[in-house]
Amino acid sequence: MTAFRFSLQRVLDVKRIREEQRRQAVAQAQAAAEACAQQLEEANEALLEAVAGGVGGAFDPALRSLGWHHRTVLHDRAVQLQEQLAERNRVLAQVRSDLVVAVKERKALERLRERRRAVYEQEEARRAQASLDDLAGARALRMESGDAGLREG
């Protein structure tokens, strides 16, 4: 009896490697999106603190101008981080969809492999049964020829 050999095993191995690469890409994109979201949250908190601290009443025009400039910079940073977060979420969605495709491709090959293995095992069982039938037939023939020889003698 020969061992089962899947002719597309190398292709399946490549699909598994690609799927793992896609999983790593998803993890990296998710980490980048989470880091950006954290930075955005910190920038928004800093902006709220600057707004709350600046309302108090500095009467010096230079301090007011400096406070206004500081709040503008913080606001611009928050807007920039929102844009980055949107882009990173888009990238995350793309790599997730790539992962879904890779998983589907791998699963399709694994289902094909299992179907071929089942066919192979059925064929092997049929061959083994045929071999056993041949042996039983030969044994029965020997038994008959042995019984016939004893009857004559």
Side-chain angles (χ1 to χ4, degrees):
M1 181 158 119
T2 61
F4 173 72
R5 185 182 167 293
F6 183 50
S7 60
L8 298 173
Q9 185 61 46
R10 289 186 183 199
V11 175
L12 180 58
D13 293 341
V14 168
K15 296 292 183 185
R16 286 179 179 155
I17 291 169
R18 285 188 181 162
E19 179 183 350
E20 184 57 34
Q21 290 171 343
R22 299 297 191 280
R23 285 186 194 282
Q24 290 174 357
V26 166
Q28 290 173 350
Q30 195 168 17
E34 289 172 1
C36 188
Q38 179 65 31
Q39 289 175 351
L40 177 60
E41 185 178 323
E42 291 170 1
N44 283 333
E45 288 174 4
L47 180 60
L48 288 175
E49 288 176 11
V51 168
V55 174
F59 293 108
D60 185 10
L63 288 177
R64 273 194 181 180
S65 176
L66 184 62
W68 179 255
H69 179 69
H70 179 67
R71 287 187 299 274
T72 303
V73 168
L74 289 175
H75 180 269
D76 290 345
R77 175 74 176 140
V79 169
Q80 179 187 24
L81 286 170
Q82 285 175 341
E83 291 170 358
Q84 285 179 3
L85 181 60
E87 175 63 19
R88 289 185 179 170
N89 283 332
R90 187 194 64 73
V91 168
L92 179 59
Q94 179 62 41
V95 295
R96 278 185 179 157
S97 68
D98 291 347
L99 175 60
V100 168
V101 169
V103 168
K104 285 180 182 179
E105 289 174 352
R106 178 194 48 85
K107 284 185 178 182
L109 276 175
E110 285 181 348
R111 282 191 302 270
L112 176 64
R113 180 176 153 211
E114 291 309 312
R115 276 184 264 150
R116 286 187 181 175
R117 179 184 292 275
V119 167
Y120 169 80
E121 288 173 355
Q122 287 175 346
E123 185 64 26
E124 284 296 314
R126 188 193 60 74
R127 284 186 196 134
Q129 187 61 45
S131 176
L132 290 175
D133 289 347
D134 288 346
L135 286 174
R139 184 174 184 202
L141 219 101
R142 273 188 269 134
M143 294 290 274
E144 283 182 17
S145 65
D147 285 345
L150 288 177
R151 288 185 197 162
E152 290 177 7

